[in-house]
Coordinates of all heavy atoms in Angstrom, one line a residue:
M105 N -7.9 -9.5 13.2 CA -6.7 -8.8 13.8 C -6.7 -7.4 13.3 O -6.7 -7.1 12.1 CB -5.4 -9.5 13.4 CG -4.2 -8.8 13.8 SD -2.9 -9.9 13.3 CE -1.6 -9.2 14.3
D106 N -6.8 -6.5 14.3 CA -7.0 -5.0 13.9 C -5.7 -4.6 13.2 O -5.8 -3.6 12.4 CB -7.1 -4.2 15.2 CG -8.6 -4.4 15.7 OD1 -9.5 -4.8 14.9 OD2 -8.7 -4.3 16.9
G107 N -4.6 -5.1 13.4 CA -3.3 -4.6 12.8 C -3.4 -4.8 11.3 O -3.0 -3.9 10.5
I108 N -4.0 -5.8 10.8 CA -4.1 -6.1 9.3 C -5.1 -5.1 8.8 O -4.8 -4.5 7.8 CB -4.5 -7.5 9.0 CG1 -3.4 -8.6 9.3 CG2 -4.9 -7.6 7.6 CD1 -3.8 -9.9 9.2
N109 N -6.2 -4.9 9.4 CA -7.2 -3.9 8.9 C -6.7 -2.6 8.9 O -6.9 -1.7 8.0 CB -8.5 -4.0 9.8 CG -9.3 -5.3 9.5 OD1 -9.2 -5.9 8.4 ND2 -10.0 -5.8 10.6
G110 N -5.9 -2.2 9.9 CA -5.3 -0.9 9.9 C -4.2 -0.7 8.9 O -4.0 0.3 8.4
A111 N -3.6 -1.8 8.5 CA -2.5 -1.7 7.6 C -3.0 -1.5 6.1 O -2.2 -1.0 5.2 CB -1.6 -3.0 7.6
V112 N -4.2 -1.8 5.8 CA -4.7 -1.7 4.4 C -5.3 -0.4 4.0 O -5.6 -0.1 2.8 CB -5.7 -2.8 4.1 CG1 -5.1 -4.2 4.2 CG2 -7.0 -2.6 4.9
C113 N -5.3 0.6 4.9 CA -5.9 1.9 4.5 C -4.9 2.5 3.6 O -3.7 2.5 3.8 CB -6.0 2.8 5.8 SG -7.2 2.2 6.9
A114 N -5.4 3.1 2.5 CA -4.5 3.6 1.4 C -3.7 4.8 2.0 O -2.6 5.0 1.5 CB -5.4 4.1 0.3
R115 N -4.1 5.6 3.0 CA -3.3 6.7 3.5 C -2.3 6.3 4.5 O -1.5 7.0 4.9 CB -4.3 7.6 4.1 CG -5.4 8.1 3.2 CD -5.4 9.5 2.9 NE -6.5 10.0 2.1 CZ -6.4 10.2 0.7 NH1 -5.4 9.9 0.1 NH2 -7.5 10.6 0.1
D116 N -2.4 5.0 5.1 CA -1.5 4.6 6.1 C -0.3 4.1 5.4 O -0.2 3.4 4.3 CB -2.0 3.5 6.9 CG -3.1 3.9 7.9 OD1 -3.2 5.1 8.0 OD2 -3.8 3.1 8.4
I117 N 0.9 4.3 6.0 CA 2.1 3.8 5.4 C 2.4 2.4 6.0 O 2.4 2.2 7.2 CB 3.3 4.7 5.7 CG1 3.1 6.1 5.0 CG2 4.6 4.1 5.3 CD1 4.1 7.1 5.2
I118 N 2.6 1.4 5.2 CA 2.9 0.1 5.6 C 4.4 -0.1 5.7 O 5.1 0.1 4.7 CB 2.2 -0.9 4.7 CG1 0.8 -0.7 4.7 CG2 2.7 -2.3 5.1 CD1 0.0 -1.7 3.6
T119 N 4.9 -0.4 6.9 CA 6.3 -0.6 7.1 C 6.6 -2.2 7.2 O 5.7 -2.9 7.6 CB 6.8 0.1 8.3 OG1 6.1 -0.4 9.5 CG2 6.5 1.6 8.2
Q120 N 7.8 -2.5 7.0 CA 8.2 -3.9 7.3 C 8.1 -4.3 8.7 O 7.8 -5.4 9.0 CB 9.6 -4.1 6.6 CG 9.7 -4.0 5.2 CD 11.0 -4.4 4.6 OE1 12.0 -4.5 5.4 NE2 11.1 -4.5 3.3
E121 N 8.3 -3.3 9.5 CA 8.2 -3.5 11.0 C 6.8 -3.9 11.4 O 6.6 -4.8 12.2 CB 8.7 -2.3 11.7 CG 10.2 -2.1 11.7 CD 10.6 -1.3 10.4 OE1 9.7 -0.6 9.8 OE2 11.7 -1.3 10.0
S122 N 5.8 -3.2 10.8 CA 4.4 -3.4 11.2 C 4.0 -4.8 10.6 O 3.2 -5.6 11.3 CB 3.5 -2.4 10.6 OG 3.5 -2.3 9.3
V123 N 4.4 -5.2 9.5 CA 4.1 -6.5 9.0 C 4.9 -7.6 9.8 O 4.3 -8.6 10.1 CB 4.5 -6.6 7.4 CG1 4.3 -8.1 6.9 CG2 3.6 -5.7 6.6
A124 N 6.1 -7.3 10.1 CA 6.9 -8.3 11.0 C 6.2 -8.6 12.2 O 6.0 -9.6 12.7 CB 8.3 -7.8 11.1
Q125 N 5.6 -7.5 12.9 CA 4.9 -7.6 14.1 C 3.6 -8.4 14.0 O 3.3 -9.2 14.8 CB 4.5 -6.3 14.7 CG 3.9 -6.3 16.1 CD 4.8 -6.9 17.1 OE1 5.9 -6.7 17.2 NE2 4.2 -7.8 17.9
M126 N 2.9 -8.2 12.8 CA 1.7 -9.0 12.5 C 2.0 -10.4 12.5 O 1.3 -11.3 13.0 CB 0.9 -8.5 11.3 CG 0.3 -7.1 11.4 SD -0.7 -6.7 10.0 CE 0.4 -6.7 8.7
V127 N 3.1 -10.7 11.7 CA 3.5 -12.2 11.5 C 3.9 -12.7 12.9 O 3.5 -13.8 13.2 CB 4.7 -12.2 10.5 CG1 5.2 -13.7 10.5 CG2 4.1 -11.8 9.1
K128 N 4.6 -12.0 13.7 CA 5.1 -12.5 15.0 C 3.9 -12.7 15.9 O 3.9 -13.9 16.5 CB 6.0 -11.4 15.6 CG 6.6 -12.0 17.0 CD 7.3 -10.8 17.7 CE 7.7 -11.2 19.1 NZ 6.7 -11.7 20.0
D129 N 2.9 -11.9 15.8 CA 1.7 -12.1 16.7 C 1.0 -13.3 16.2 O 0.5 -14.1 17.1 CB 0.8 -10.8 16.5 CG 1.3 -9.6 17.2 OD1 2.3 -9.7 18.0 OD2 0.9 -8.5 16.9
S130 N 0.9 -13.5 15.0 CA 0.2 -14.7 14.4 C 0.9 -16.0 14.8 O 0.4 -17.0 15.0 CB -0.1 -14.7 12.9 OG 1.1 -14.8 12.2
V131 N 2.3 -16.0 14.6 CA 3.1 -17.1 15.1 C 3.0 -17.4 16.6 O 2.7 -18.7 17.0 CB 4.5 -16.9 14.7 CG1 5.4 -18.0 15.3 CG2 4.7 -16.9 13.2
D132 N 2.9 -16.3 17.4 CA 2.6 -16.6 18.8 C 1.3 -17.2 19.1 O 1.2 -17.9 20.0 CB 2.8 -15.2 19.5 CG 4.3 -14.7 19.5 OD1 5.1 -15.4 19.2 OD2 4.3 -13.4 19.8
R133 N 0.3 -16.9 18.2 CA -1.0 -17.5 18.4 C -1.1 -18.9 17.9 O -2.0 -19.7 18.0 CB -2.1 -16.7 17.9 CG -2.4 -15.4 18.6 CD -3.7 -14.8 18.1 NE -3.8 -14.7 16.7 CZ -3.3 -13.7 15.9 NH1 -2.7 -12.7 16.5 NH2 -3.5 -13.7 14.6
G134 N 0.0 -19.4 17.0 CA 0.0 -20.7 16.5 C -0.7 -20.7 15.1 O -1.0 -21.8 14.7
E135 N -1.0 -19.7 14.4 CA -1.8 -19.7 13.2 C -1.1 -18.9 12.1 O -1.7 -18.1 11.4 CB -3.2 -19.1 13.4 CG -4.0 -19.8 14.5 CD -5.3 -19.1 14.7 OE1 -5.3 -17.9 14.4 OE2 -6.2 -19.8 15.3
P136 N 0.2 -19.1 11.8 CA 1.0 -18.3 11.0 C 0.5 -18.4 9.4 O 0.4 -17.4 8.8 CB 2.4 -18.6 11.0 CG 2.4 -20.0 11.6 CD 1.1 -20.1 12.5
N137 N 0.1 -19.6 9.0 CA -0.2 -19.8 7.6 C -1.5 -19.0 7.3 O -1.7 -18.3 6.2 CB -0.3 -21.2 7.3 CG 1.0 -21.9 7.3 OD1 2.1 -21.3 7.2 ND2 0.9 -23.2 7.6
R138 N -2.5 -19.1 8.2 CA -3.8 -18.4 7.8 C -3.6 -16.9 7.9 O -4.1 -16.2 7.1 CB -4.8 -18.9 9.0 CG -6.2 -18.3 8.7 CD -7.2 -18.8 9.7 NE -6.9 -18.3 11.0 CZ -7.3 -17.1 11.6 NH1 -7.9 -16.3 10.8 NH2 -6.9 -16.7 12.7
E139 N -2.9 -16.4 8.8 CA -2.6 -15.1 9.0 C -1.8 -14.5 7.8 O -2.0 -13.4 7.3 CB -1.9 -14.7 10.3 CG -2.8 -15.0 11.5 CD -4.0 -14.0 11.6 OE1 -3.9 -13.0 11.1 OE2 -5.0 -14.5 12.1
L140 N -0.8 -15.3 7.3 CA -0.1 -14.8 6.2 C -0.9 -14.7 5.0 O -0.7 -13.8 4.2 CB 1.2 -15.8 6.0 CG 2.3 -15.5 7.0 CD1 3.4 -16.5 6.7 CD2 2.9 -14.1 6.9
S141 N -1.8 -15.7 4.8 CA -2.7 -15.7 3.6 C -3.6 -14.5 3.7 O -3.8 -13.8 2.6 CB -3.5 -17.0 3.6 OG -4.4 -17.0 2.6
T142 N -4.2 -14.2 4.8 CA -5.0 -13.1 5.1 C -4.3 -11.8 4.8 O -4.7 -10.9 4.1 CB -5.7 -13.1 6.4 OG1 -6.3 -14.3 6.6 CG2 -6.6 -11.9 6.6
A143 N -3.1 -11.7 5.4 CA -2.3 -10.4 5.2 C -2.0 -10.3 3.7 O -2.1 -9.1 3.2 CB -1.0 -10.6 6.0
G144 N -1.6 -11.3 3.1 CA -1.3 -11.2 1.5 C -2.6 -10.6 0.8 O -2.4 -9.8 -0.1
K145 N -3.7 -11.1 1.1 CA -4.9 -10.7 0.5 C -5.2 -9.3 0.7 O -5.5 -8.5 -0.2 CB -6.1 -11.6 0.9 CG -6.0 -12.9 0.4 CD -7.2 -13.8 0.9 CE -7.0 -15.2 0.5 NZ -8.0 -16.1 1.1
Y146 N -5.0 -8.9 2.0 CA -5.2 -7.4 2.3 C -4.2 -6.5 1.7 O -4.5 -5.4 1.3 CB -5.2 -7.2 3.8 CG -6.6 -7.6 4.5 CD1 -6.7 -8.6 5.3 CD2 -7.7 -6.8 4.2 CE1 -7.9 -8.9 6.0 CE2 -8.9 -7.1 4.8 CZ -9.0 -8.2 5.7 OH -10.2 -8.4 6.2
L147 N -2.9 -6.9 1.6 CA -1.9 -6.2 1.0 C -2.2 -6.0 -0.5 O -2.0 -4.9 -1.1 CB -0.5 -6.8 1.1 CG 0.0 -6.6 2.7 CD1 1.2 -7.6 2.8 CD2 0.3 -5.2 2.9
L148 N -2.6 -7.1 -1.2 CA -3.0 -7.0 -2.6 C -4.1 -6.0 -2.8 O -4.1 -5.2 -3.7 CB -3.4 -8.4 -3.1 CG -3.6 -8.5 -4.6 CD1 -2.4 -8.0 -5.4 CD2 -3.9 -9.9 -5.0
L149 N -5.2 -6.1 -1.9 CA -6.3 -5.1 -2.0 C -5.8 -3.6 -1.8 O -6.2 -2.8 -2.5 CB -7.3 -5.4 -0.9 CG -8.5 -4.6 -0.8 CD1 -9.3 -4.6 -2.1 CD2 -9.4 -5.0 0.3
A150 N -4.8 -3.4 -0.8 CA -4.3 -2.1 -0.7 C -3.6 -1.7 -1.9 O -3.7 -0.5 -2.2 CB -3.4 -2.2 0.5
A151 N -2.8 -2.5 -2.4 CA -2.0 -2.1 -3.7 C -3.0 -1.8 -4.9 O -2.8 -0.8 -5.5 CB -1.1 -3.3 -4.1
M152 N -4.1 -2.5 -4.9 CA -5.0 -2.2 -6.0 C -5.7 -0.8 -5.7 O -5.9 0.0 -6.6 CB -6.2 -3.3 -6.1 CG -5.6 -4.6 -6.6 SD -6.7 -6.0 -6.5 CE -8.2 -5.3 -7.2
N153 N -6.1 -0.6 -4.5 CA -6.6 0.8 -4.1 C -5.6 1.8 -4.4 O -6.0 2.9 -4.9 CB -7.1 0.8 -2.6 CG -8.3 -0.1 -2.5 OD1 -9.1 -0.3 -3.3 ND2 -8.5 -0.5 -1.2
L154 N -4.4 1.6 -4.1 CA -3.3 2.7 -4.3 C -3.2 2.9 -5.8 O -3.0 4.1 -6.2 CB -2.1 2.3 -3.6 CG -2.0 2.5 -2.1 CD1 -0.8 1.7 -1.6 CD2 -2.0 3.9 -1.7
C155 N -3.2 1.9 -6.6 CA -3.1 2.0 -8.0 C -4.3 2.8 -8.6 O -4.1 3.8 -9.3 CB -3.1 0.7 -8.7 SG -1.5 -0.2 -8.5
A156 N -5.5 2.6 -8.1 CA -6.7 3.3 -8.5 C -6.5 4.8 -8.1 O -6.8 5.7 -8.9 CB -7.9 2.8 -7.9
E157 N -6.0 5.1 -7.0 CA -5.8 6.4 -6.5 C -4.7 7.1 -7.4 O -4.9 8.3 -7.7 CB -5.3 6.5 -5.0 CG -5.3 7.9 -4.5 CD -5.0 8.0 -3.0 OE1 -5.3 7.0 -2.3 OE2 -4.6 9.0 -2.6
T158 N -3.6 6.4 -7.7 CA -2.6 6.9 -8.6 C -3.2 7.3 -10.0 O -2.9 8.4 -10.5 CB -1.5 5.9 -8.7 OG1 -1.0 5.7 -7.5 CG2 -0.5 6.4 -9.7
V159 N -4.0 6.5 -10.5 CA -4.7 6.8 -11.8 C -5.5 8.0 -11.7 O -5.5 8.9 -12.5 CB -5.5 5.6 -12.3 CG1 -6.3 5.9 -13.5 CG2 -4.5 4.5 -12.7
R160 N -6.3 8.1 -10.6 CA -7.1 9.3 -10.4 C -6.3 10.6 -10.2 O -6.7 11.6 -10.8 CB -8.0 9.1 -9.1 CG -9.0 10.2 -8.8 CD -9.7 10.0 -7.5 NE -8.8 10.1 -6.4 CZ -8.3 11.2 -5.8 NH1 -8.6 12.4 -6.4 NH2 -7.6 11.2 -4.8
N161 N -5.2 10.5 -9.5 CA -4.3 11.7 -9.4 C -3.7 12.0 -10.7 O -3.6 13.2 -11.1 CB -3.2 11.3 -8.3 CG -3.7 11.4 -6.9 OD1 -4.7 12.1 -6.6 ND2 -3.1 10.6 -6.1
F162 N -3.2 11.1 -11.5 CA -2.7 11.4 -12.8 C -3.7 12.0 -13.7 O -3.5 12.9 -14.4 CB -2.0 10.2 -13.4 CG -1.3 10.4 -14.7 CD1 -0.1 11.2 -14.7 CD2 -1.8 10.1 -15.9 CE1 0.6 11.5 -15.8 CE2 -1.1 10.4 -17.1 CZ 0.1 11.1 -17.0
S163 N -4.9 11.5 -13.7 CA -6.0 11.9 -14.4 C -6.3 13.4 -14.0 O -6.6 14.3 -14.9 CB -7.3 11.2 -14.3 OG -8.4 11.7 -14.9
G164 N -6.2 13.7 -12.7 CA -6.5 15.1 -12.3 C -5.3 16.0 -12.7 O -5.6 17.2 -13.1
Y165 N -4.1 15.5 -12.9 CA -3.1 16.2 -13.4 C -3.4 16.7 -14.8 O -3.1 17.8 -15.2 CB -1.7 15.6 -13.3 CG -0.6 16.1 -14.1 CD1 0.0 17.3 -13.8 CD2 -0.3 15.5 -15.3 CE1 0.9 17.8 -14.6 CE2 0.8 16.0 -16.1 CZ 1.3 17.2 -15.8 OH 2.3 17.7 -16.6
L166 N -3.8 15.6 -15.6 CA -4.1 15.9 -17.0 C -5.2 16.9 -17.2 O -5.1 17.8 -18.2 CB -4.4 14.6 -17.7 CG -3.3 13.6 -17.9 CD1 -3.8 12.3 -18.5 CD2 -2.1 14.2 -18.7
E167 N -6.1 16.9 -16.3 CA -7.3 17.9 -16.4 C -6.9 19.2 -16.0 O -7.4 20.3 -16.4 CB -8.4 17.4 -15.5 CG -9.1 16.2 -16.1 CD -10.1 15.6 -15.1 OE1 -10.5 16.3 -14.2 OE2 -10.7 14.5 -15.4
H168 N -5.8 19.3 -15.1 CA -5.4 20.7 -14.6 C -4.0 21.0 -14.9 O -3.3 21.7 -14.2 CB -5.5 20.6 -13.0 CG -6.9 20.4 -12.5 ND1 -7.4 19.1 -12.2 CD2 -8.0 21.2 -12.4 CE1 -8.6 19.2 -11.8 NE2 -9.1 20.4 -11.9
A169 N -3.5 20.4 -16.0 CA -2.0 20.7 -16.4 C -1.6 22.0 -16.5 O -0.4 22.4 -16.2 CB -1.8 19.9 -17.7
Q170 N -2.5 23.0 -16.8 CA -2.1 24.4 -17.0 C -2.5 25.2 -15.8 O -2.2 26.4 -15.7 CB -2.9 25.0 -18.2 CG -2.6 24.3 -19.5 CD -1.1 24.4 -19.9 OE1 -0.5 25.3 -19.7 NE2 -0.5 23.2 -20.4
S171 N -3.0 24.6 -14.6 CA -3.3 25.4 -13.5 C -2.3 25.2 -12.5 O -1.3 24.4 -12.6 CB -4.6 24.9 -13.0 OG -4.5 23.6 -12.4
D172 N -2.4 26.1 -11.4 CA -1.4 26.0 -10.2 C -1.6 24.6 -9.5 O -0.6 24.2 -8.8 CB -1.7 27.2 -9.4 CG -1.4 28.5 -10.0 OD1 -0.6 28.6 -10.9 OD2 -1.9 29.4 -9.5
E173 N -2.7 24.0 -9.6 CA -2.9 22.7 -8.9 C -2.2 21.5 -9.6 O -2.0 20.4 -8.9 CB -4.5 22.4 -8.9 CG -5.2 23.4 -8.2 CD -6.7 23.1 -8.3 OE1 -7.1 22.0 -8.8 OE2 -7.5 23.9 -7.9
A174 N -1.6 21.6 -10.7 CA -1.0 20.5 -11.5 C 0.1 19.9 -10.6 O 0.2 18.7 -10.6 CB -0.5 21.0 -12.8
E175 N 0.9 20.7 -10.0 CA 2.0 20.2 -9.2 C 1.5 19.3 -8.0 O 2.1 18.3 -7.8 CB 2.8 21.3 -8.7 CG 4.0 20.9 -7.8 CD 4.9 22.0 -7.4 OE1 4.6 23.2 -7.6 OE2 5.8 21.7 -6.6
Y176 N 0.5 19.7 -7.5 CA 0.0 18.9 -6.3 C -0.6 17.5 -6.8 O -0.5 16.5 -6.1 CB -1.2 19.6 -5.6 CG -0.6 21.0 -4.9 CD1 -1.0 22.2 -5.5 CD2 0.3 20.9 -3.9 CE1 -0.4 23.4 -4.9 CE2 0.8 22.0 -3.3 CZ 0.4 23.2 -3.9 OH 0.9 24.4 -3.3
W177 N -1.2 17.5 -8.0 CA -1.8 16.3 -8.5 C -0.5 15.3 -8.8 O -0.7 14.1 -8.5 CB -2.6 16.5 -9.7 CG -3.9 17.1 -9.5 CD1 -4.3 18.4 -9.7 CD2 -5.0 16.5 -9.1 NE1 -5.6 18.6 -9.4 CE2 -6.1 17.4 -9.0 CE3 -5.3 15.1 -8.8 CZ2 -7.4 17.0 -8.6 CZ3 -6.6 14.8 -8.4 CH2 -7.6 15.7 -8.3
V178 N 0.5 15.8 -9.4 CA 1.6 15.0 -9.6 C 2.3 14.5 -8.3 O 2.7 13.3 -8.2 CB 2.7 15.8 -10.5 CG1 4.0 15.0 -10.6 CG2 2.2 16.0 -11.8
L179 N 2.4 15.4 -7.4 CA 3.0 14.9 -6.1 C 2.2 13.9 -5.4 O 2.7 12.9 -4.8 CB 3.1 16.2 -5.1 CG 4.2 17.2 -5.6 CD1 4.2 18.4 -4.6 CD2 5.6 16.6 -5.6
D180 N 0.8 13.9 -5.5 CA -0.1 12.9 -4.9 C 0.1 11.7 -5.7 O 0.1 10.6 -5.1 CB -1.5 13.4 -5.0 CG -1.8 14.4 -3.9 OD1 -1.1 14.6 -2.9 OD2 -3.0 15.0 -4.0
A181 N 0.2 11.7 -7.0 CA 0.5 10.6 -7.8 C 1.8 9.9 -7.4 O 1.9 8.6 -7.3 CB 0.4 10.8 -9.3
K182 N 2.8 10.6 -7.3 CA 4.2 10.1 -6.8 C 4.1 9.4 -5.5 O 4.7 8.4 -5.3 CB 5.2 11.2 -6.9 CG 5.7 11.6 -8.3 CD 6.8 12.6 -8.1 CE 7.4 13.0 -9.4 NZ 8.5 14.0 -9.2
R183 N 3.3 10.0 -4.6 CA 3.2 9.5 -3.3 C 2.5 8.2 -3.3 O 3.0 7.2 -2.7 CB 2.4 10.5 -2.4 CG 2.1 10.0 -1.0 CD 1.3 10.8 -0.2 NE 0.0 11.2 -0.8 CZ -1.1 10.4 -0.9 NH1 -1.1 9.3 -0.3 NH2 -2.1 10.8 -1.5
T184 N 1.4 8.1 -4.1 CA 0.7 6.8 -4.1 C 1.5 5.7 -4.8 O 1.4 4.5 -4.5 CB -0.7 7.0 -4.7 OG1 -0.6 7.5 -5.9 CG2 -1.6 7.8 -3.8
M185 N 2.2 6.1 -5.9 CA 3.1 5.1 -6.5 C 4.2 4.6 -5.6 O 4.4 3.4 -5.6 CB 3.8 5.7 -7.8 CG 2.9 5.9 -8.9 SD 3.6 6.4 -10.5 CE 4.1 8.1 -10.0
S186 N 4.7 5.4 -4.7 CA 5.7 5.0 -3.8 C 5.1 4.0 -2.8 O 5.7 3.1 -2.5 CB 6.4 6.2 -3.1 OG 7.2 5.9 -2.1
Q187 N 3.9 4.4 -2.3 CA 3.2 3.5 -1.3 C 3.0 2.2 -1.9 O 3.0 1.1 -1.3 CB 1.9 4.2 -0.8 CG 2.2 5.3 0.2 CD 1.0 6.1 0.6 OE1 -0.1 5.9 -0.1 NE2 0.9 6.7 1.7
T188 N 2.5 2.1 -3.2 CA 2.2 0.9 -3.9 C 3.4 0.0 -3.9 O 3.4 -1.1 -3.7 CB 1.7 1.2 -5.4 OG1 0.5 2.1 -5.3 CG2 1.4 -0.1 -6.1
H189 N 4.6 0.6 -4.3 CA 5.8 -0.1 -4.3 C 6.2 -0.7 -3.0 O 6.6 -1.8 -2.9 CB 6.9 0.9 -4.8 CG 8.2 0.1 -5.2 ND1 9.3 0.0 -4.2 CD2 8.5 -0.6 -6.3 CE1 10.2 -0.7 -4.8 NE2 9.9 -1.1 -6.0
R190 N 6.0 0.1 -1.9 CA 6.2 -0.5 -0.6 C 5.3 -1.7 -0.2 O 5.8 -2.7 0.4 CB 6.1 0.6 0.5 CG 7.3 1.4 0.6 CD 7.3 2.4 1.7 NE 7.2 3.8 1.1 CZ 6.4 4.7 1.4 NH1 5.5 4.6 2.4 NH2 6.5 5.8 0.7
V191 N 4.1 -1.5 -0.6 CA 3.0 -2.6 -0.3 C 3.6 -3.9 -1.1 O 3.5 -4.9 -0.5 CB 1.7 -2.2 -0.7 CG1 0.7 -3.3 -0.7 CG2 1.2 -1.1 0.3
L192 N 3.8 -3.7 -2.4 CA 4.2 -4.8 -3.2 C 5.5 -5.4 -2.7 O 5.7 -6.7 -2.7 CB 4.3 -4.4 -4.6 CG 3.0 -4.1 -5.3 CD1 3.2 -3.7 -6.7 CD2 2.0 -5.3 -5.2
D193 N 6.4 -4.7 -2.1 CA 7.7 -5.2 -1.6 C 7.4 -6.1 -0.3 O 7.9 -7.2 -0.2 CB 8.6 -4.1 -1.2 CG 9.4 -3.5 -2.3 OD1 9.4 -4.1 -3.4 OD2 10.0 -2.4 -2.1
V194 N 6.5 -5.6 0.5 CA 6.1 -6.4 1.7 C 5.4 -7.7 1.2 O 5.6 -8.8 1.8 CB 5.2 -5.5 2.6 CG1 4.6 -6.4 3.8 CG2 6.0 -4.3 3.2
L195 N 4.5 -7.6 0.2 CA 3.7 -8.7 -0.2 C 4.8 -9.8 -0.8 O 4.6 -11.0 -0.5 CB 2.7 -8.3 -1.3 CG 1.9 -9.4 -1.8 CD1 1.0 -10.2 -0.8 CD2 0.9 -8.9 -2.9
A196 N 5.7 -9.3 -1.6 CA 6.7 -10.2 -2.1 C 7.5 -10.9 -1.0 O 7.8 -12.1 -1.2 CB 7.6 -9.4 -3.1
E197 N 7.7 -10.2 0.0 CA 8.6 -10.8 1.1 C 7.7 -11.8 1.8 O 8.3 -12.9 2.1 CB 9.0 -9.6 2.1 CG 9.9 -10.2 3.2 CD 10.4 -9.0 4.0 OE1 10.7 -7.9 3.6 OE2 10.6 -9.3 5.3
I198 N 6.4 -11.5 2.0 CA 5.6 -12.5 2.7 C 5.5 -13.8 1.8 O 5.5 -14.9 2.3 CB 4.2 -11.9 2.9 CG1 4.2 -10.9 4.1 CG2 3.1 -13.0 3.2 CD1 2.9 -10.3 4.3
E199 N 5.4 -13.6 0.5 CA 5.2 -14.8 -0.4 C 6.6 -15.4 -0.7 O 6.7 -16.3 -1.4 CB 4.6 -14.3 -1.7 CG 3.2 -13.8 -1.6 CD 2.3 -14.9 -1.1 OE1 2.5 -16.1 -1.4 OE2 1.3 -14.6 -0.3
G200 N 7.7 -14.8 -0.3 CA 9.0 -15.4 -0.5 C 9.6 -15.1 -1.9 O 10.4 -15.9 -2.3
L201 N 9.1 -14.1 -2.5 CA 9.7 -13.7 -3.8 C 10.8 -12.8 -3.7 O 10.8 -11.9 -2.9 CB 8.5 -13.1 -4.6 CG 7.2 -13.8 -4.8 CD1 6.2 -13.0 -5.4 CD2 7.6 -15.1 -5.6
D202 N 11.8 -12.9 -4.7 CA 12.8 -12.0 -4.8 C 12.5 -10.8 -5.6 O 12.1 -11.0 -6.7 CB 14.1 -12.7 -5.3 CG 14.6 -13.7 -4.3 OD1 14.6 -13.5 -3.1 OD2 15.2 -14.8 -4.8
M203 N 12.6 -9.6 -5.1 CA 12.3 -8.4 -5.8 C 13.6 -7.7 -6.2 O 14.5 -7.6 -5.4 CB 11.4 -7.5 -5.1 CG 10.0 -8.0 -4.8 SD 9.1 -8.2 -6.2 CE 8.7 -6.5 -6.7
P204 N 13.7 -7.2 -7.5 CA 14.9 -6.4 -7.8 C 15.0 -5.1 -7.1 O 14.0 -4.6 -6.8 CB 14.8 -6.4 -9.3 CG 13.4 -6.6 -9.7 CD 12.8 -7.4 -8.6

């Protein structure tokens, strides 16, 4: 399913609506359990990639803390942390977990 593959790109924003559409499509095909399992694996992979990018951005900030680029490194780190949180929220919803 191309929707799942498109959802895991680190630069793409994953919305609850896009995941809901993927789930609806899989239910319409009669294979929701397999699709949910696959979606969960891809979402976990996306979260791991975003965490790695966050660490890279924070490392860049530490290396350039005294330069004009420092602010951009921090903004990139904040962006990837926010995306990671969204991905984990969607994953928790798929798995039926309550997130605070």
Side-chain angles (χ1 to χ4, degrees):
M105 175 176 198
D106 289 333
I108 292 174
N109 291 331
V112 297
C113 293
R115 304 241 187 264
D116 290 345
I117 295 176
I118 298 173
T119 64
Q120 290 184 350
E121 292 81 17
S122 64
V123 172
Q125 184 61 46
M126 288 189 301
V127 171
K128 181 185 177 307
D129 292 344
S130 68
V131 169
D132 290 346
R133 286 195 313 273
E135 302 174 339
N137 293 335
R138 184 178 66 84
E139 293 295 328
L140 286 175
S141 174
T142 301
K145 290 174 185 174
Y146 279 114
L147 288 169
L148 187 57
L149 179 62
M152 290 171 54
N153 287 335
L154 285 166
C155 285
E157 187 175 342
T158 300
V159 169
R160 184 184 63 78
N161 287 330
F162 187 70
S163 176
Y165 164 74
L166 292 176
E167 291 174 10
H168 300 95
Q170 301 301 319
S171 74
D172 293 338
E173 297 176 8
E175 180 180 357
Y176 297 110
W177 285 102
V178 169
L179 291 174
D180 284 346
K182 284 183 174 182
R183 177 186 52 83
T184 55
M185 284 188 290
S186 175
Q187 288 176 337
T188 303
H189 189 264
R190 279 187 245 134
V191 168
L192 292 175
D193 281 346
V194 172
L195 181 59
E197 187 173 323
I198 286 175
E199 295 296 327
L201 302 173
D202 291 328
M203 294 293 290

